[in-house]
Amino acid sequence: MTLYVLGRTLTYIVLKKQGKIRCVSKLGCGSMYTPRNGFREREGALQNRPFLKWPGGKTRLLSHLLPLFPDTTLFCEPFLGSGAVFLNTQYKSYRLNDRNADLISLYRLLQEKQENFIDEVAGYFQPKYNDEKQFYLLREKFNKSRSLSMRARLFLYLNRHGFNGLCRYNQSGEFNVPFGRYDKPYFPEKELRFFYQKAQHAEFLCEDFETVLQNLKKQAVVYCDPPYVPASASANFTSYTQFGFSIKQQESLAALGRKLAMKGHTVVISNHDNAITQKLYEGAQLLQVSVPRLIGADPTKRKPINELIAVFGQ
Ligand SMILES: C[S@@+](CC[C@H](N)C(=O)[O-])C[C@H]1O[C@@H](n2cnc3c(N)ncnc32)[C@H](O)[C@@H]1O
C-alpha cells in the first residue's frame, strides 16, 4: 500500500494492485480548475447546486471525482439522486437513472414544463404550509395521489419541509419522513431553473441499475453512487426506495463495472471505505478520501467520513 500526501487537508492512499500504481487524482488543497468539467470553485464550494436535499449527496466529493472523468460524449449516472455530479459536468449527452419513481417523474416534469412547473410549485413555499399539521396533511395527499404532476410538486415540498431532507418509504411504498421544523424552508428557484436548462441534453430513466448498465452500447463515462454498504451493523440506510439495496446488488454492480471496463467504458464507483468495499472493488484503482461531515449537532464531535472511489478502466 502506498501513501500519497498531496496537501494539508487531503491524504490519498492508492492501493497497489497487481504491481501497478496510478495516482488517479492530482489535487492539492484550495481551488482547482479542470477545463473538461468546468468546476472552478474552491473545494467544497459547489458551483451548481441540486434543488433537492438528498441523503448521500456527493457535493463534498466533487473535487475528487471530477478529475477522474475522461472526455467522451455520453455521461451515465445509474444512481442519480439529487444530480450533484451531473450538474457539475459538461458532456454532450446524459443518461440519468434512479429507481425512485417520484424522483424521476419530478425531473421529467421539470424538464418538460420548465417555468410553469416552478410557478406551480412556488405556492407550497408560502409560510402557511410551513406548519406541522399542514405537512402531515400534504404528506397524506402525496401518498394517496396518483397524479404525476401533483406528486412531483408535493415531493419537492416534502423534501424541503421534511426532516433533514430525508427520502424514506415504508414497505408499502408510503413516504414516511416526519416534519422538519425549519424556520423558513428555502425555495430553490435558481437551482430548479439551472436543472431544467442542463436537463435539455438528458434522458431520464427509472430502471434498476443493472438494466441501465447492461444496455449501455455507446462509449460512456459511468459514475455509480449506490446506497452505501453498511458502515456498521447499526448504520445502514438503504430506504431511498421501498426495495432497499442488498450486498448481492453491490456485488453485481462491481461485476458490471469490471465487465464494462473491458468493453472500453470508464466506470467510477464511490462507497464507504471499509473491508467490504475494498474486497468488492478488487482490481480497480482505489482512491481513499476523507471528507468532513456536515451533519451532527456538535461540530467538535463530527468525525470525517472515509470514502472509497474505485475506477474501472482508463
Ligand atoms: C447515494 S444516493 C445517490 C446520491 C447522488 N450521487 C447525489 O449526489 O445526490 C443512491 C441513489 O440510488 C438510488 N437507488 C437505490 N436502489 C437503486 C437501484 N436498484 N437502481 C437504481 N437506483 C437505485 C436511490 O434512489 C438513491 O437516489
Side-chain angles (χ1 to χ4, degrees), residues 54-59 77-85 97-100 103 207-210 223 225-228 240-241 244-245 249:
W54 207 250
K58 284 302 165 287
T59 304
E77 259 200 88
F79 304 90
L80 181 63
S82 65
V85 177
N97 176 75
D98 200 287
R99 184 99 193 260
N100 183 318
L103 182 73
E207 309 272 1
D208 186 67
F209 73 92
E210 292 182 357
Y223 170 56
D225 184 22
Y228 283 128
Y240 294 98
T241 68
F245 204 81
Q249 288 172 295

Side-chain angles (χ1 to χ4, degrees), residues 86 110-112 114 195-202 204:
F86 147 64
L110 176 62
Q111 181 188 40
E112 186 200 324
Q114 307 187 359
F195 192 100
Y196 82 64
Q197 285 163 355
K198 184 97 185 155
Q200 296 314 303
H201 306 284
F204 291 100

